Amino acid sequence: MSATQLAAASNAAVYASMVTLTFAMVSFAISFASGRRRVAVVAPVPHQMNSSGSTAVLTRSAGGTPTNDQTGIRSANIGMSLTWLGFVVLLAGVVLRGVWAGRVPWGNMYEFSITSALGILGVFLLISLRRDVRWLGLFIVIPALLTLGLAVTVLYTEAAQLVPALKSYWLIIHVSAAIICAGAFTLAASTAGLALVQSRAERRGKSGLARVPSAEKLRTLTYRVLAFAFPLWTFAVVAGAIWAENAWGRYWGWDPKETWAFITWVIYAAYLHARSTVGWRGDRASWVAIAGWAAFIINYFGVNIFINSLHSYSGV
Amino acid sequence: MSKQELILPPMGALGFVRYTWRQLTSMKTALILLFLLAIASVPGSIFPQRGNNPLRVNEWIADSPVSGPIFDALGFFDVYSSPWFAAVYLLLFISLIGCVLPRTKVHWRAMFAPPPPAPRNLLRLPESMSFEASASADEVLARGRKYLSDKRWRLLVAENSVAAEKGYLRETGNLLFHFSLILILVAIALGGLLGWKGNVIVRTGQGFSNTLTQYDAWGGGRFTGASRLSPFSFTLDKFNVEFERSEAQRGAPKLFEADVTYRRVPGADAENVRIEVNTPLEIDGAKVFLVGHGYAPHFVVRDAGGEITFDDNVVFLPQDGNFTSTGVVKIPDSDPQLGFQGIFVPTAASNNLRGPISIFPGPDDPAVFMSAWRGDMGLDSGAPQSVYRLDTAAMEQIGIVALRQGQTWTLPDGSGSIAFTGFERWASFQIAFDPGKEIALLGAVLAITGLLLTLFIRRRRVWITATTNTEGVTVVNLAGLARIESADLPGELQLLCSVVSDLPDTASARSTDEMREQK
Ligand code: HEM
């Protein structure tokens, strides 16, 4: 394929995945809305152990979405399939972009963004292999679509060579870790937000969002995801520091990008502490998780676009 | 350790100190201090910082004569060395040490102590079960012991119960993580005290030797004297640079690299090396980084009689991405003194409306815009003057003109001429020595290791009691305790249940357990 064909193919794949994801979003939304109209019926789960008052034993079996609503389940399943399809097509788009540019596709904001959307979907799909998270689909596809929308409208640039500061294998290590974190942080912000909604409903004695697990389960999921993402983010920051030492002669210089990476790290450390502090483990911890994500997003878009930083290399 | 008792302030000075200390080292304080640290870091990303960009700081203050000095006094332009920022992180680290030391002691004891014995009523624990077994109580306990010790649980065996605990590495990892943070802080301090960092601009063909006077800017650690600088030297032989020409990202740098010849000590063999952006040159622990580059136009100045008074390349500093660069030429020995302010553009804009601004960073159509001044350039005041600035306060402007390469401008007042004859490139290097950086890296590696241990190892206890009741039946109670985040305990208890009882699926239970262990 010629360069122009590659370029066209990559862009077409990105647009195609956006269309697919839009349909996925609609399916998830139908599932979400249809669940709201009925009261979810929690089926008693057969249980052979004589366990005294243990609800935790039920976690696995009841962790899913007990409901008798067939339409809702079917459209959620369609949503999942479309998300897989959207992911694969987007993956093709990102790979083609890399082939076109002749390097890893992480040279500018457009490329970071389409890869981050891939990261958001990827972390979600990975979790969906191990547990039933269909109820989360809507809140994953929306941020992925927003990222892609911003990428193709505001951030689009033609592929060009890497600026010299980016020519390093640390780019691959540092950025791939950061992109997985982007996915995990976004997912955790979604579950933390849902936990806030659920806990509000629970406080008022209502059943909350149908199909969505209880606030406590959402908080546990948030913790699990962040417990995975925090060491990875630590690693990404350290890799960035090693790279900065290589490129600029100092491993830490309080450049705005570095500063916000640090702020993000501190907020997530605070989140982990909040989880083991009396009076903080509930809604407050959820708010801290959302604040961490906000810091990450400020770093991602805010610093690159509005603040003059050593890292604003990439012609946006 | 996460539970907090309500502590009322006791009387007396010692009591107050103790109370303050308890508060400082409480988890809630740590949490608040972490938030404060995050918030205190923000202004440094919004205001320009002296350490990164002193010129922008000066501009900022000059542009806002009222708020500028106030922000300056508050340390907003040196956030990360300001007293309030230091206060936050020092308090955090004091709290950290106060928190971690007692926990280390507790953990040290716990590592050599047997797990706590079974509570009186196991079935009160949230995770528990009770069942009857056909084997004898001794047999049940023996099976439980064997299974648990095979899985490397720690055991406390009593008459009719077994207590077991696993996952001590979680706390070890947690302590390791917190101690590593201290190590990183120490490494940063070490770098600040013993390290140094300097910047120097070297023109093509020129040399540099590592002594204090040769640096354009130097930031030394408190305990680094100039005598500690290792005596290397190098010459910039050639500087290669290329810019993107395609429409996308036109003008973005594609490549820049410096070919240098260096000697480790005076008189040593000369070695050739290429310094690129991500590949510095390392000499005696000091690293030479290529950080920037620019143009040095060449001028020849003659006096009224045609005598050459100046004939050299002058370093011009780039002001934008297209290398519109500014610099000055000073002729202090002429009478009256003569000075030129210049703007060099590597590619002049074809429409003059845009003024002296370059439209491409490569030298496609180089030109200079010179403004000539006559009078007293203020050298006698004794204050050191920047070579990049002309003090025109006591000078009078003679004229302004644009010159292409090869053109000569005869000054309108008849005091001589200036010719723009060509240009050369220069490269700027940052030379840094940081003895703390390996320690910081070690700290980071240990921190990540500790984190992985603390976040992925589950600490839990289980107890088995087996008794024979009045009818001669063995009654087995199982219970477990774990933190909420590691809610895999029910599965673990169920496995234990099938191991100690005579359930037929013991074998399959074992195998799933082994799969679990392998994950
Ligand atoms: C420099 C600041 C600090 C950072 C970045 C930090 C970070 C962390 C992290 C990432 C964890 C793991 C959380 C987990 O196990 O779930 C943790 C746990 C913990 N930290 Fe810190 N910490 C800091 C300061 C402190 C201070 C000052 C204290 C004492 C008041 C403290 C006490 C603890 C305790 C008790 C735990 C264990 C909680 C648990 O087991 O879940 N930390 N810390």
Side-chain angles (χ1 to χ4, degrees):
Chain A
M1 268 201 273
S2 75
T4 38
Q5 281 170 324
L6 276 172
S10 167
N11 293 348
V14 171
Y15 279 104
S17 83
M18 286 178 70
V19 173
T20 316
L21 290 173
T22 308
F23 283 115
M25 178 178 74
V26 171
S27 306
F28 283 129
I30 290 173
S31 164
F32 188 71
S34 72
R36 295 193 71 152
R37 272 183 269 113
R38 293 155 197 254
V39 178
V41 179
V42 180
V45 177
H47 175 45
Q48 69 286 52
M49 273 166 53
N50 173 17
S51 138
S52 61
S54 159
T55 48
V57 182
L58 304 179
T59 338
R60 292 262 155 176
S61 35
T65 53
T67 171
N68 56 359
D69 175 9
Q70 286 309 310
T71 344
I73 292 182
R74 205 177 316 129
S75 52
N77 287 344
I78 294 173
M80 285 305 292
S81 310
L82 287 173
T83 309
W84 273 108
L85 183 63
F87 174 78
V88 172
V89 175
L90 185 58
L91 180 66
V94 171
V95 170
L96 285 171
R97 175 87 186 185
V99 176
W100 170 25
R103 54 171 167 75
V104 284
W106 302 327
N108 52 49
M109 280 287 285
Y110 169 74
E111 293 169 357
F112 288 138
S113 300
I114 57 173
T115 318
S116 298
L118 197 67
I120 296 173
L121 298 171
V123 171
F124 168 67
L125 292 172
L126 200 70
I127 294 179
S128 80
L129 294 178
R130 296 204 48 191
R131 49 169 82 202
D132 182 0
V133 283
R134 286 175 291 183
W135 49 270
L136 188 57
L138 184 60
F139 308 96
I140 289 301
V141 173
I142 289 176
L145 265 176
L146 285 177
T147 313
L148 286 174
L150 209 59
V152 297
T153 52
V154 182
L155 305 172
Y156 186 79
T157 33
E158 301 287 319
Q161 283 221 344
L162 289 181
V163 299
L166 284 180
K167 281 181 193 150
S168 163
Y169 58 89
W170 286 105
L171 169 71
I172 301 170
I173 297 171
H174 171 70
V175 176
S176 55
I179 281 171
I180 297 171
C181 287
F185 288 161
T186 306
L187 195 138
S190 290
T191 53
L194 286 172
L196 286 173
V197 174
Q198 291 295 68
S199 99
R200 200 179 140 105
E202 283 164 20
R203 269 202 310 280
R204 297 183 176 173
K206 297 198 186 132
S207 63
L209 302 171
R211 269 177 243 288
V212 177
S214 71
E216 188 51 39
K217 276 177 199 147
L218 285 166
R219 288 196 283 257
T220 306
L221 182 58
T222 310
Y223 174 80
R224 291 251 167 105
V225 172
L226 289 180
F228 155 79
F230 185 73
L232 192 62
W233 181 244
T234 311
F235 172 77
V237 173
V238 171
I242 297 174
W243 184 13
E245 202 276 330
N246 251 302
W248 299 318
R250 86 287 186 292
Y251 58 87
W252 198 266
W254 295 108
D255 177 82
K257 197 98 189 168
E258 295 166 358
T259 303
W260 279 94
F262 175 75
I263 294 171
T264 309
W265 187 82
V266 169
I267 295 178
Y268 280 118
Y271 167 82
L272 291 176
H273 277 110
R275 285 289 296 177
S276 27
T277 305
V278 180
W280 278 82
R281 9 182 61 226
D283 285 356
R284 287 185 183 178
S286 301
W287 281 114
V288 181
I290 292 171
W293 178 76
F296 182 81
I297 291 299
I298 289 175
N299 201 10
Y300 196 83
F301 292 112
V303 173
N304 277 31
I305 296 171
F306 300 114
I307 300 180
N308 187 351
S309 145
L310 271 178
H311 292 76
S312 312
Y313 31 69
S314 31
V316 174
Chain B
M1 72 200 130
S2 52
K3 289 250 164 32
Q4 286 187 334
E5 323 85 270
L6 179 71
I7 309 162
L8 291 173
M11 294 293 139
L14 191 69
F16 179 73
V17 169
R18 191 175 284 162
Y19 169 75
T20 314
W21 178 247
R22 283 251 186 95
Q23 286 301 306
L24 186 61
T25 57
S26 86
M27 200 72 169
K28 237 173 227 152
T29 313
L31 198 53
I32 306 287
L33 287 172
L34 280 170
F35 287 133
L36 275 180
L37 185 63
I39 293 167
S41 311
V42 174
S45 73
I46 296 168
F47 292 87
Q49 297 295 296
R50 280 219 172 75
N52 292 342
N53 206 337
L55 291 179
R56 287 252 316 280
V57 174
N58 293 342
E59 272 168 31
W60 211 104
I61 296 176
D63 288 350
S64 353
V66 182
S67 54
I70 299 178
F71 282 129
D72 195 17
L74 290 174
F76 275 45
F77 302 109
D78 304 275
V79 167
Y80 308 104
S81 48
S82 71
W84 44 269
F85 190 77
V88 174
Y89 74 78
L90 288 178
L91 273 178
L92 186 59
F93 272 87
I94 292 172
S95 164
L96 179 66
I97 293 167
C99 187
V100 166
L101 285 182
R103 275 171 59 207
T104 311
K105 207 166 113 190
V106 171
H107 184 55
W108 182 261
R109 290 219 193 101
M111 283 209 294
F112 298 103
R120 178 88 22 95
N121 189 350
L122 278 189
L123 299 183
R124 282 239 186 87
L125 291 174
E127 219 53 76
S128 59
M129 61 172 84
S130 178
F131 54 92
E132 297 177 351
S134 54
S136 73
D138 284 348
E139 172 67 18
V140 164
L141 289 177
R143 281 183 198 157
R145 261 198 328 263
K146 169 149 184 7
Y147 172 78
L148 289 170
S149 70
D150 282 355
K151 290 268 177 283
R152 294 207 307 268
W153 287 66
R154 287 168 188 230
L155 295 183
L156 173 73
V157 178
E159 196 180 330
N160 50 13
S161 69
V162 174
E165 183 161 7
K166 195 167 165 53
Y168 284 63
L169 266 182
R170 177 198 176 92
E171 181 69 0
T172 311
N174 196 308
L175 293 172
L176 177 65
F177 170 75
H178 286 89
F179 277 117
S180 310
L181 294 183
I182 301 174
L183 188 65
I184 293 173
L185 193 71
V186 168
I188 292 172
L190 205 67
L193 293 176
L194 296 179
W196 49 263
K197 175 167 101 170
N199 286 74
V200 60
I201 287 179
V202 182
R203 279 154 44 192
T204 319
Q206 300 239 318
F208 165 81
S209 63
N210 191 26
T211 53
L212 216 47
T213 50
Q214 294 244 324
Y215 282 100
D216 299 322
W218 204 76
R222 226 151 281 182
F223 297 121
T224 322
S227 57
R228 304 234 188 145
L229 300 186
S230 46
F232 63 84
S233 61
F234 66 82
T235 315
L236 177 62
D237 302 324
K238 192 159 175 283
F239 188 78
N240 310 311
V241 53
E242 262 176 53
F243 298 99
E244 184 72 45
R245 286 196 178 268
S246 68
E247 247 348 277
Q249 300 185 15
R250 184 176 161 80
K254 262 167 80 172
L255 159 154
F256 52 104
E257 52 195 23
D259 290 332
V260 303
T261 307
Y262 72 98
R263 292 174 206 276
R264 292 183 180 273
V265 285
D269 287 342
E271 295 171 66
N272 293 315
V273 71
R274 171 169 287 179
I275 304 178
E276 290 169 70
V277 173
N278 279 306
T279 45
L281 164 67
E282 182 157 2
I283 307 173
D284 287 346
K287 279 188 172 178
V288 183
F289 299 88
L290 177 59
V291 289
H293 62 101
Y295 293 93
H298 186 255
F299 297 100
V300 178
V301 181
R302 290 171 202 269
D303 63 15
E307 286 295 316
I308 291 179
T309 53
F310 183 91
D311 179 4
D312 204 356
N313 289 79
V314 183
V315 168
F316 274 40
L317 299 180
Q319 305 295 318
D320 62 22
N322 283 330
F323 284 78
T324 305
S325 313
T326 59
V328 301
V329 181
K330 296 182 188 177
I331 318 291
D333 296 336
S334 66
D335 187 24
Q337 289 178 330
L338 194 58
F340 300 89
Q341 287 174 328
I343 298 174
F344 174 84
V345 293
T347 302
S350 48
N351 66 354
N352 277 331
L353 289 177
R354 295 189 57 192
I357 285 182
S358 170
I359 53 167
F360 187 74
D364 289 357
D365 182 13
V368 288
F369 296 79
M370 301 304 287
S371 147
W373 296 77
R374 187 176 57 184
D376 178 6
M377 58 176 78
L379 288 177
D380 304 330
S381 71
Q385 263 202 354
S386 163
V387 292
Y388 303 110
R389 234 166 239 264
L390 184 66
D391 181 1
T392 55
M395 300 185 85
E396 162 200 6
Q397 191 169 30
I398 312 173
I400 301 183
V401 80
L403 296 175
R404 301 237 167 213
Q405 194 168 332
Q407 289 183 335
T408 303
W409 177 31
T410 307
L411 296 177
D413 67 346
S415 62
S417 68
I418 180 165
F420 166 43
T421 54
F423 65 89
E424 196 169 74
R425 291 186 193 269
W426 54 261
S428 64
F429 296 92
Q430 171 152 306
I431 304 174
F433 171 66
D434 182 351
K437 64 176 191 265
E438 282 82 12
I439 301 173
L441 182 60
L442 175 71
V445 170
L446 292 178
I448 294 175
T449 313
L451 261 184
L452 292 175
L453 292 176
T454 188
L455 291 172
F456 292 110
I457 288 180
R458 298 163 298 134
R459 178 146 184 197
R460 61 257 188 229
R461 293 171 180 164
V462 297
W463 293 278
I464 312 171
T465 62
T467 45
T468 315
N469 68 9
T470 43
E471 283 131 48
V473 180
T474 308
V475 177
V476 184
N477 288 347
L478 292 184
L481 202 58
R483 296 169 49 87
I484 299 166
E485 283 84 351
S486 44
D488 248 3
L489 202 58
E492 219 151 27
L493 280 193
Q494 204 159 13
L495 279 174
L496 196 56
C497 164
S498 46
V499 168
V500 300
S501 67
D502 322 293
L503 292 182
D505 62 347
T506 306
S508 69
R510 268 179 200 278
S511 64
T512 50
D513 179 50
E514 265 143 32
M515 275 164 53
R516 198 184 288 265
E517 289 285 317
Q518 279 163 9
K519 264 188 196 155

